[in-house]
Amino acid sequence: MKLAIGMTLAMLVAVAGALNAAAQSRAQQPRYDLLLKGGHVIDPANHVDGVMDVAVSKDRIAAVEKNISAAEAAKIVDVSGLYVTPGLIDIHVHVGHGGAPLNWFASEARAHAAPLGVPADTALESGVTTVVDAGSAGADTFAQEKEEVIDHAKVRVLACLNIVADGMNGGLEQSLDQMDPKRCAETIRKYPDVLVGVKTAHYWTKDDWDAEHTPWAAVDRAEDCGRAANVPVMFDFWPRPERTYADLILKKMRPGDIHTHVFAQQFPIVLPGGEINPIMAQARSRGVIFDVGHGEGSFWFRNAVPAVKQGFVPDSLSTDLHSANFTRLSMNDVMSKFLAMGVPLQEIIRRSTVNPAAEIRRPELGTLSPGKEADIAVLEELHGRFGFIDCGYARMAGNVTLAARMTIRGGRILYDPTGLSMVEWEKAPAQYFSRPVLGGSQRAKADDYPRE
Ligand SMILES: [Zn+2]
């Protein structure tokens, strides 16, 4: 009897001890999965501009506050001396299967043009977490692009649907029978999570007009689709005497429509006397949006520098990354050019986060608001002697440039080329120092390593 009681007591003590340990471990369970500590946070959506810590729980932003305790986080990354911003948004890129849809080599398109797109995740190297494909695909080709490219990208890929059903890569951009506003709008309504606008581009830039090819045909049909689907239209445009830039931005475009490639050589942004064309302010006052869309031929300092000096900075910065320019162009490069032209960093971040999010009507993006998806860029401002080039093979010197040091998408660190989040090799866990006997690596994922 005594023995039985003794055993019972011992068991009770053991059970109580176990319960106590469980409670303690619950108490010690860190509140946050990731804490970016000591960075200068710029989040224009929330009017934040100062040194703050950013905490992440699972895939969400949990807190943006001063001095969040390190004890509350499972993993801490020291980002002091760096800028922490919402994941950047590049609203003009062309994505593809390393360059083309899977069936490209068997397609008719091959005879007409080089493949257009670049791997979507190239964007992560600039701190970009959301890209918008600017009309690579149309109603006939979008499902394939979605299945083969968009659904597999780590970066978030949204898209504007080309008014041309075949899209850009098939050599059919001049065929009016390809431009069906009804089919375009139906497709946009079918994929509301991904399709955020309409795109028109490259239409009849030099040949004589004829019965089929009237000056405004592509513009009007894109607008018909935009109205029917209730989304903005993004314009790549070439002015001609019968189709002027002033008429585009003052008459044809609706408020919220986007003129991309604004500093391209063909636009009368700057008048012969050097002053900015007053139509730019008039268009802005009626709600027209201007986007950079740098690209292979669409950014000229002779337009950009006088415009910026006179206070005209485009509403959004974007790259127009495609297969002909991605080796020398990036979102950080475009941002650096505006920094070099004297635009304050805060305004550059605004035009790479909250502004493009509003343009594509996705206000949940481009912000570090707690509860939103944890898309974060960590950027470094570097000082030295730098040179920047435009599309006319002219250069501009500068003494400051931006480079991404880390990119977090949905709470996961996807880009960390200098190991900000990694352990010093001497302090790595035992697994790191073991030599694999059989084939196959025993690497731990960076996230598995303990915090220092
Ligand atoms: Zn483009």
Side-chain angles (χ1 to χ4, degrees):
M1 187 67 188
K2 263 190 173 176
L3 189 64
I5 289 169
M7 281 181 71
T8 306
L9 281 172
M11 285 164 71
L12 279 172
V13 167
V15 168
L19 284 172
N20 197 27
Q24 266 180 5
S25 110
R26 259 199 309 279
Q28 286 161 3
Q29 186 86 38
R31 205 165 144 198
Y32 306 123
D33 294 312
L34 175 65
L35 181 61
L36 304 181
K37 212 153 175 34
H40 182 134
V41 176
I42 301 178
D43 178 15
N46 289 307
H47 312 287
V48 174
D49 183 3
V51 174
M52 299 252 181
D53 299 338
V54 177
V56 173
S57 288
K58 295 196 173 69
D59 64 342
R60 301 279 147 177
I61 302 284
V64 180
E65 290 162 21
K66 282 188 194 297
N67 303 317
I68 296 174
S69 165
E72 293 194 88
K75 185 179 184 69
I76 293 146
V77 179
D78 178 1
V79 290
S80 51
L82 304 173
Y83 289 98
V84 179
T85 75
L88 306 178
I89 303 174
D90 183 351
I91 64 158
H92 189 151
V93 304
H94 298 278
V95 301
H97 249 292
L102 272 184
N103 70 356
W104 186 82
F105 288 99
S107 75
E108 209 189 312
R110 197 176 173 194
H112 297 281
L116 180 71
V118 298
D121 292 336
T122 303
L124 294 168
E125 296 169 19
S126 269
V128 173
T129 53
T130 298
V131 298
V132 179
D133 182 283
S136 303
D140 284 348
T141 52
F142 178 72
Q144 186 189 1
E145 177 176 283
K146 182 174 181 298
E147 191 177 307
E148 295 177 354
V149 181
I150 295 176
D151 291 348
H152 302 285
K154 291 179 182 146
V155 67
R156 179 189 293 99
V157 183
L158 306 172
C160 290
L161 192 72
N162 203 309
I163 185 64
V164 176
D166 189 57
M168 281 185 182
N169 227 147
L172 299 177
E173 287 183 287
Q174 311 304 330
S175 306
L176 268 293
D177 59 6
Q178 281 279 318
M179 303 181 198
D180 180 350
K182 195 159 161 278
R183 285 201 57 220
C184 171
E186 278 165 7
T187 307
I188 290 172
R189 280 194 292 261
K190 192 173 167 190
Y191 301 99
D193 293 344
V194 183
L195 288 172
V196 296
V198 186
K199 175 81 187 292
T200 174
H202 312 148
Y203 169 68
W204 218 253
T205 55
K206 52 181 189 283
D207 293 338
D208 289 341
W209 308 111
D210 58 33
E212 183 188 2
H213 300 99
T214 56
W216 293 101
V219 165
D220 289 343
R221 293 193 187 192
E223 279 295 7
D224 287 346
C225 174
R227 265 188 288 271
N230 191 26
V231 293
V233 179
M234 180 186 277
F235 290 91
D236 165 313
F237 186 75
W238 196 279
R240 299 178 62 169
E242 303 80 7
R243 167 177 89 186
T244 67
Y245 185 53
D247 279 351
L248 177 76
I249 62 176
L250 298 180
K251 292 180 183 159
K252 289 285 183 180
M253 288 174 72
R254 299 168 299 156
D257 284 344
I258 302 160
H259 176 226
T260 190
H261 306 311
V262 63
F263 291 145
Q265 59 180 323
Q266 68 264 34
F267 300 112
I269 305 296
V270 179
L271 298 177
E275 66 274 29
I276 188 159
N277 194 329
I279 62 173
M280 304 308 284
Q282 289 163 27
R284 267 202 166 151
S285 71
R286 57 183 294 274
V288 164
I289 304 291
F290 294 98
D291 175 64
V292 172
H294 185 303
E296 182 63 6
S298 300
F299 182 86
W300 296 63
F301 284 128
R302 69 167 164 79
N303 277 340
V305 173
V308 167
K309 257 195 193 127
Q310 293 173 67
F312 180 88
V313 183
D315 301 283
S316 48
L317 310 186
S318 67
T319 58
D320 187 17
L321 274 188
H322 54 74
S323 56
N325 64 28
F326 75 104
T327 53
R328 60 183 176 280
L329 185 63
S330 70
M331 188 65 171
N332 289 161
D333 178 58
V334 174
M335 297 165 86
S336 298
K337 284 170 186 171
F338 282 84
L339 206 53
M341 285 189 278
V343 179
L345 180 61
Q346 288 76 3
E347 291 306 310
I348 289 164
I349 301 302
R350 179 188 304 282
R351 285 159 168 79
S352 313
T353 55
V354 63
N355 278 14
E359 290 170 24
I360 57 171
R361 303 182 192 169
R362 293 294 176 102
E364 71 276 19
L365 304 178
T367 168
L368 295 176
S369 297
K372 298 289 187 269
E373 257 191 277
D375 291 356
I376 306 171
V378 178
L379 305 171
E380 182 167 22
E381 193 180 82
L382 300 160
H383 295 263
R385 288 177 62 200
F386 303 105
F388 302 101
I389 59 174
D390 73 5
C391 301
Y393 303 101
R395 80 186 293 272
M396 190 180 78
N399 55 19
V400 60
T401 190
L402 283 174
R405 290 284 300 274
M406 181 185 282
T407 308
I408 297 168
R409 163 82 185 97
R412 291 173 60 213
I413 298 169
L414 295 184
Y415 180 70
D416 183 12
T418 58
L420 282 179
S421 68
M422 296 173 200
V423 66
E424 295 290 336
W425 74 269
E426 298 97 327
K427 297 178 188 166
Q431 183 186 0
Y432 171 86
F433 292 96
S434 67
R435 183 168 4 120
V437 179
L438 300 170
S441 167
Q442 298 195 54
R443 283 188 298 167
K445 292 197 297 291
D447 287 348
D448 297 338
Y449 286 145
R451 64 193 174 97
E452 287 175 63

